[in-house]
Amino acid sequence: MRLIFLGPPGAGKGTQAQVLGERFGIVQISTGDLLRRHRAEGTELGKAAEGYMQRGELVPDELIIAMIERELDALGGRGFVMDGFPRTVAQAEALDASLARKGWALDRVILFRVPDDELVRRLSARWVNPRTGRVYNTITNPPRTAGIDDEDGGPLVQREDDRPETVARRLRVYAEQTLPVVEYYRARGLLTELDATRSVGEVTHELLHALRQERAAQ
Ligand code: AP5
Ligand code: MG
């Protein structure tokens, strides 16, 4: 299975990618998580990405595309769900070229739809495990113990780019630079839109339903 999750910041891409990865044994490729790991490790890429991420802007395409190429090469034959990539039409075109070189096709692109006011509400209550990327929400999906990951007992933190002014910038960047990617995949007949305002469990249910329909149609 080869999937892409598209949608604005806070739509639940990371939450659902984690669920699907565990359920189907496919690899979750989250460009945001990868970049945060590079920053934590102080790599050249991490240093180059830092300012863009703090401002809520996109990291330049050539850096992201090179990073994705390395991830695709490491997959072997395993399937994947991409969460947070592609975010520009140039990235989508580069991905198409990489997949064509490998003889791989995308199965589906899922668009997570959530209104802006709900996105802001979700992001202000998000806590994450910086080591694994596992996501919680103090309102809708709290950990058993505040500030502690249920799975590995590690500390949870809030992301620096979840401050209200940075969230507003990220929403603008999404509308300007990533909405054209939605149309790119719609034109290719690959897009499935999902109402992602419902609970985490209900969204998972919808997602699995959409993927079953896709398989039945093949
Ligand atoms: P990235 O980390 O990808 O951030 P994002 O796209 O802004 O998305 P988020 O991670 O904020 O949201 P999400 O959809 O994953 O939601 P989540 O599941 O956490 O990117 C960060 C930065 O890296 C970018 O700004 C950019 O600088 C750079 N970058 C990354 N990729 C790049 C690229 N391809 N090109 C260039 N630059 C790139 O859920 C949000 C909250 O809601 C959580 O608290 C969760 O528990 C809760 N929640 C989830 N689902 C539900 C639900 N159904 N109901 C209620 N609450 C829910
Ligand atoms: Mg995410």
Side-chain angles (χ1 to χ4, degrees), residues 65-108:
I65 290 166
M67 182 174 81
I68 282 287
E69 292 272 338
R70 291 192 292 273
E71 293 299 314
L72 289 175
D73 287 344
L75 280 174
R78 289 174 299 171
F80 60 76
V81 49
M82 291 201 177
D83 133 39
F85 177 90
R87 267 168 139 100
T88 63
V89 170
Q91 291 180 15
E93 288 169 346
L95 176 63
D96 273 350
S98 300
L99 293 176
R101 275 196 297 277
K102 292 184 180 297
W104 294 349
L106 284 174
D107 293 305
R108 247 330 69 203

Side-chain angles (χ1 to χ4, degrees), residues 9-10 114-124 140 196-198:
V114 178
D116 282 6
D117 53 348
E118 170 67 7
L119 297 171
V120 171
R121 201 174 72 89
R122 285 185 186 179
L123 293 177
S124 63
T140 59
T197 51
R198 283 173 284 177

Side-chain angles (χ1 to χ4, degrees), residues 13-31:
K13 306 179 298 289
T15 300
Q16 299 294 339
Q18 184 119 33
V19 171
L20 236 61
E22 286 167 6
R23 186 158 180 143
F24 295 117
I26 56 178
V27 180
Q28 177 187 0
I29 302 178
S30 163
T31 41

Side-chain angles (χ1 to χ4, degrees), residues 118-154:
E118 170 67 7
L119 297 171
V120 171
R121 201 174 72 89
R122 285 185 186 179
L123 293 177
S124 63
R126 171 165 65 182
W127 288 74
V128 295
N129 180 330
R131 201 180 66 79
T132 63
R134 184 172 287 273
V135 190
Y136 295 89
N137 190 286
T138 50
I139 302 165
T140 59
N141 180 25
R144 283 195 293 271
T145 309
I148 303 291
D149 190 323
D150 294 348
E151 297 289 318
D152 71 359

